[in-house]
Amino acid sequence: MKTMMPAMKTHEPLLHPQRITHFGLGPARRPDRHHGSRSLHTSESYQAAPDNLHRTSDDAKFAQQHARLDVLAAPDGNVSDEVATAFRWPGAFGSHAVSILGSFNSWQEPIPLHQSADTGDWFVSMMQSPGLHQYKFLVDDVWQTSPCEPIVSDSQGSYNNQQSVACNITFDWIGDGLAREVFVAGDFTGWMDLLPLSREAGSNKFSLDCSLLPGAYFYQFLVDGQWSVSGNSTVEPDEQGHLSNKVIVHAPPAFHLFYGEPGWQGASIHMRLTCKQHTQGWQQVALHNTASRSQHWGGGRWKTAVVPLPKGCQSTQMELAIKSNTDEGQGPSESSHYMCPHPGGYKIQHGQLRPFPQATAGPIMLVSDLDGTMVGNGHEADAMTHNFKQYWEDNAALRNSVLVYNTGRSLGQFTSLYQEKAGALALPNVLITAVGTKIFLLDMEGGCREQASGQKWHQDLQWSHRLDEGWDLSAVKQVAEEAVQRHANDSTVNWLDHGTEHPHRIALSVHTSSLQDCLTHLRHGFQHHDVQVRIIVSGVGDYRYVDCVAIKAGKQEALEYIRALFNIPLTHCMAAGDSGNDILMLEGQHQAIIVSNAQQELLDWLLQQKQTPRIVCTNAPMADGILEGIARHGLH
């Protein structure tokens, strides 16, 4: 990312005060941490904020505050190859204390992470040398891997997260010649650390090389104590409405190899790189498990290896051979020889090398309804479901994509369905149930998605706590009971769920003749009790479902929460459905898929929408329609 235009100061108090006062201690590149902090002043005068930005009372106070920010130690001249990296443990998985240990510090002393008051996630920043680094999180005295990052297994069968550390984003600031020091902060560190930029000799340009996981990030610069954004990069409000720069980060150049192995107990690649006229010697690189659950001939599964490029070498070839760990010999034979002509993604299966460019495009996220969309009744529907599973496991899962089912079924009903479909249904990473009031995360059972049984799930309690705001179940039940009693004589308003099973939702069945009266009473009653409720009406026929849920709940809201959890760019996110119940998750800004067997209510809604490529109405039904939609959105 290079700046070619002068930078501009922002017109808005950018960071919420909580972000400032909760910055954590970022470990420096050496074991002794840099605890230095500095008192920072913000400008006391701001121009009028754009109309689309909301100025809070806290923002107004922010301009008069002096904040103490913990600063990541800058690299010295002897470690110019090092890049700034950031690690995150999602608060959604529950934790009271989190540390990290990895190959970057020789698996010696755990380094503590610090929790963001805004998101509940845990972060730490540090300087690292380029290369492949494995690591693990110590969460409340239990070693765990993060499901939101690539997971690999070592030769002993232990699972670690792995990150390819190489510069894939450079933060640049071109000043006016007066700037003395420049820092960058962003959501990639939970706004918890300041990362220092270094001035290039004889210029007004400040730069910092970073290695970040692929995804979309917001960031800002702190220039001599004033928060600013660069005028040469994309500028837009972040999720809290604060004006920030935004960048899409891609994986650094490397060779990403996937091998459909024949059931070997272990395998590795013997490879050598050729850069211009220089050829390295043969090296052995271990093959690791992937998130794919696909099985190949001989009982084998997909294995993977990442080979980073040498520094400064972009035009590189890789010559390789696959060998069982029981094989002997130093180099490959002619019959097992493969040549990858340039960095990128590749598959080797049935003795053939094929390009797999999706490997470097980053993960996608698919949020699909179950009944009528992903699954149906009969052999034909099951065959479509199985077709989707084969695609997902042999393609999307290899790139660590995220599969989510947004369903009206309960957790118990889903696990029963998963068993009933006898291997035809792809195992999701996440379940959204109860009209978006409950989120369940797949239990990896000590390994990765490949090893999970699909019968163990963790409820996302962070999501549940978020829904508590403005919600009063007893008041909601009281208002709903009054609505039921108003129509007791004709029994046109009836209870479906009193909130006993889902504490952030109550549900009614309402005849269409009483629907408007019921809705009016509910709205007035909730307003009278000063309780914040989202009323969702769905269904067809004489009776409609009326769900009253916490104001922050809902299918679309849950989708966005999960997208942020796994850091999936909006352009890589899709939702698929077949009924009016799915409208709430189809009307977001992400891509949408409506399968050809969609109910009339959903088609009527579709006809009212502006015709854009964002929504695809497929020619194929159910799961085959999902595959068609993924392809038509260019994310296959």
Side-chain angles (χ1 to χ4, degrees):
M1 181 187 68
K2 299 186 179 295
T3 52
M4 301 299 293
M5 297 171 58
M8 68 178 185
K9 294 182 179 178
T10 59
H11 304 315
E12 176 75 357
L14 295 178
L15 292 181
H16 192 283
Q18 283 189 330
R19 288 183 174 174
I20 300 296
T21 57
H22 288 83
F23 269 32
L25 300 175
R29 61 180 180 83
R30 294 176 180 169
D32 55 313
R33 299 205 188 98
H34 180 81
H35 290 285
S37 59
R38 58 190 72 241
S39 181
L40 297 170
H41 298 259
T42 57
S43 173
E44 294 185 0
S45 62
Y46 294 92
Q47 299 180 22
D51 291 339
N52 64 331
L53 296 183
H54 175 64
R55 184 191 300 272
T56 66
S57 58
D58 284 336
D59 284 333
K61 295 176 184 177
F62 170 72
Q64 302 172 4
Q65 291 181 337
H66 292 186
R68 294 180 64 83
L69 308 179
D70 294 293
V71 182
L72 182 68
D76 56 44
N78 296 325
V79 289
S80 58
D81 286 349
E82 290 189 335
V83 295
T85 57
F87 295 94
R88 162 181 168 259
W89 176 262
F93 297 102
S95 48
H96 295 93
V98 182
S99 300
I100 189 172
L101 191 67
S103 57
F104 45 77
N105 69 344
S106 301
W107 300 94
Q108 294 299 313
E109 182 181 354
I111 300 171
L113 280 70
H114 301 272
Q115 191 171 26
S116 165
D118 288 340
T119 66
D121 292 343
W122 298 73
F123 295 90
V124 71
S125 305
M126 64 184 74
M127 303 300 297
Q128 284 191 28
S129 299
L132 287 177
H133 291 285
Q134 292 189 21
Y135 52 95
K136 210 158 192 173
F137 296 91
L138 183 62
V139 183
D140 298 336
D141 297 323
V142 177
W143 289 108
Q144 298 188 44
T145 54
S146 170
C148 301
E149 300 178 17
I151 299 174
V152 299
S153 60
D154 60 21
S155 57
Q156 284 75 42
S158 299
Y159 288 86
N160 301 315
N161 288 119
Q162 179 173 277
Q163 186 175 146
S164 179
V165 175
C167 176
N168 58 354
I169 175 67
T170 298
F171 294 104
D172 290 334
W173 177 270
I174 298 180
D176 54 8
L178 302 178
R180 299 184 303 276
E181 57 182 6
V182 181
F183 302 88
V184 65
D187 55 6
F188 46 87
T189 64
W191 303 95
M192 299 280 285
D193 289 322
L194 288 175
L195 308 182
L197 279 67
S198 298
R199 184 198 292 267
E200 295 185 5
S203 75
N204 298 325
K205 181 178 179 182
F206 295 77
S207 300
L208 175 68
D209 290 339
C210 288
S211 177
L212 301 179
L213 291 172
Y217 298 99
F218 287 100
Y219 63 96
Q220 301 166 0
F221 294 95
L222 186 67
V223 183
D224 293 336
Q226 292 188 349
W227 291 104
S228 302
V229 298
S230 169
N232 192 60
S233 301
T234 301
V235 178
E236 61 183 62
D238 65 9
E239 294 180 356
Q240 285 73 42
H242 300 287
L243 197 65
S244 302
N245 287 122
K246 182 180 180 181
V247 64
I248 304 294
V249 176
H250 302 283
F255 290 94
H256 299 260
L257 185 70
F258 297 88
Y259 176 56
E261 66 157 19
W264 290 341
Q265 290 298 316
S268 59
I269 64 172
H270 283 233
M271 67 86 192
R272 61 181 179 183
L273 298 177
T274 300
C275 181
K276 294 183 178 179
Q277 303 302 318
H278 174 69
T279 300
Q280 295 182 346
W282 289 100
Q283 301 178 50
Q284 181 171 331
V285 178
L287 285 162
H288 300 285
N289 291 357
T290 71
S292 170
R293 298 168 63 84
S294 179
Q295 287 193 335
H296 305 290
W297 59 280
R301 293 184 183 271
W302 284 105
K303 298 287 186 178
T304 185
V306 178
V307 180
L309 299 189
K311 182 183 177 182
C313 190
Q314 298 298 320
S315 178
T316 306
Q317 295 180 334
M318 183 172 73
E319 185 179 1
L320 67 105
I322 306 294
K323 303 188 74 174
S324 167
N325 288 350
T326 60
D327 287 350
E328 297 181 356
Q330 298 299 316
S333 65
E334 282 297 320
S335 60
S336 61
H337 175 273
Y338 301 96
M339 177 67 74
C340 300
H342 43 70
Y346 296 89
K347 284 182 179 180
I348 297 178
Q349 193 173 20
H350 306 306
Q352 290 185 324
L353 176 70
R354 296 182 179 182
F356 183 48
Q358 296 92 329
T360 61
I364 63 174
M365 184 172 102
L366 172 69
V367 184
S368 176
D369 171 57
L370 268 178
D371 295 278
T373 305
M374 183 63 73
V375 298
N377 298 318
H379 296 299
E380 185 176 359
D382 287 347
M384 296 180 191
T385 303
H386 188 262
N387 289 342
F388 174 85
K389 178 188 175 182
Q390 283 189 312
Y391 153 76
W392 190 264
E393 302 299 349
D394 287 337
N395 294 277
L398 296 180
R399 53 199 279 203
N400 295 303
S401 295
V402 181
L403 180 60
V404 184
Y405 293 148
N406 201 338
T407 176
R409 291 174 178 258
S410 66
L411 176 61
Q413 290 171 332
F414 168 76
T415 56
S416 296
L417 175 69
Y418 185 70
Q419 291 180 315
E420 173 190 329
K421 291 303 178 182
L425 180 61
L427 181 65
N429 304 81
V430 185
L431 286 174
I432 302 173
T433 68
V435 202
T437 61
K438 284 187 176 181
I439 294 176
F440 294 94
L441 306 168
L442 178 64
D443 188 334
M444 300 295 185
E445 301 178 41
C448 62
R449 178 177 173 272
E450 176 202 27
Q451 303 292 328
S453 66
Q455 299 301 304
K456 295 182 179 181
W457 297 81
H458 295 297
Q459 185 173 352
D460 187 338
L461 298 181
Q462 181 170 278
W463 174 250
S464 299
H465 295 329
R466 177 180 293 198
L467 302 189
D468 288 339
E469 183 178 340
W471 177 255
D472 184 339
L473 178 59
S474 61
V476 173
K477 289 171 63 176
Q478 179 181 335
V479 174
E481 177 62 25
E482 292 170 357
V484 172
Q485 294 302 321
R486 283 170 62 88
H487 298 273
N489 291 335
D490 54 14
S491 298
T492 53
V493 179
N494 301 284
W495 278 104
L496 292 177
D497 179 9
H498 289 75
T500 53
E501 183 179 0
H502 308 295
H504 295 100
R505 165 210 175 192
I506 65 97
L508 302 172
S509 173
V510 182
H511 193 274
T512 53
S513 62
S514 302
L515 183 60
Q516 290 306 315
D517 178 77
C518 178
L519 295 177
T520 299
H521 176 80
L522 292 175
R523 294 189 185 104
H524 290 166
F526 296 147
Q527 184 177 10
H528 174 74
H529 286 272
D530 193 27
V531 60
Q532 299 179 12
V533 179
R534 183 187 303 276
I535 302 175
I536 302 172
V537 180
S538 61
V540 295
D542 293 337
Y543 278 85
R544 302 299 168 89
Y545 297 107
V546 176
D547 293 290
C548 301
V549 304
I551 192 65
K552 292 190 174 182
K555 292 185 175 183
Q556 172 63 21
E557 289 71 19
L559 180 154
E560 284 299 319
Y561 172 84
I562 297 168
R563 187 173 71 83
L565 173 65
F566 288 89
N567 196 25
I568 304 295
L570 188 64
T571 54
H572 282 50
C573 179
M574 296 166 289
D578 75 303
S579 74
N581 294 338
D582 302 317
I583 290 175
L584 290 176
M585 73 168 180
L586 295 173
E587 61 185 2
Q589 298 182 11
H590 50 266
Q591 314 299 323
I593 301 169
I594 296 177
V595 292
S596 69
N597 58 296
Q599 297 177 11
Q600 190 61 46
E601 181 183 10
L602 181 56
L603 295 176
D604 290 342
W605 171 83
L606 176 61
L607 288 171
Q608 301 303 315
Q609 307 308 303
K610 183 178 179 179
Q611 294 187 13
T612 68
R614 188 188 74 81
I615 305 177
V616 166
C617 188
T618 68
N619 297 311
M622 292 188 288
D624 279 358
I626 297 176
L627 290 178
E628 178 189 336
I630 293 174
R632 288 172 61 181
H633 280 306
L635 295 173
H636 197 274

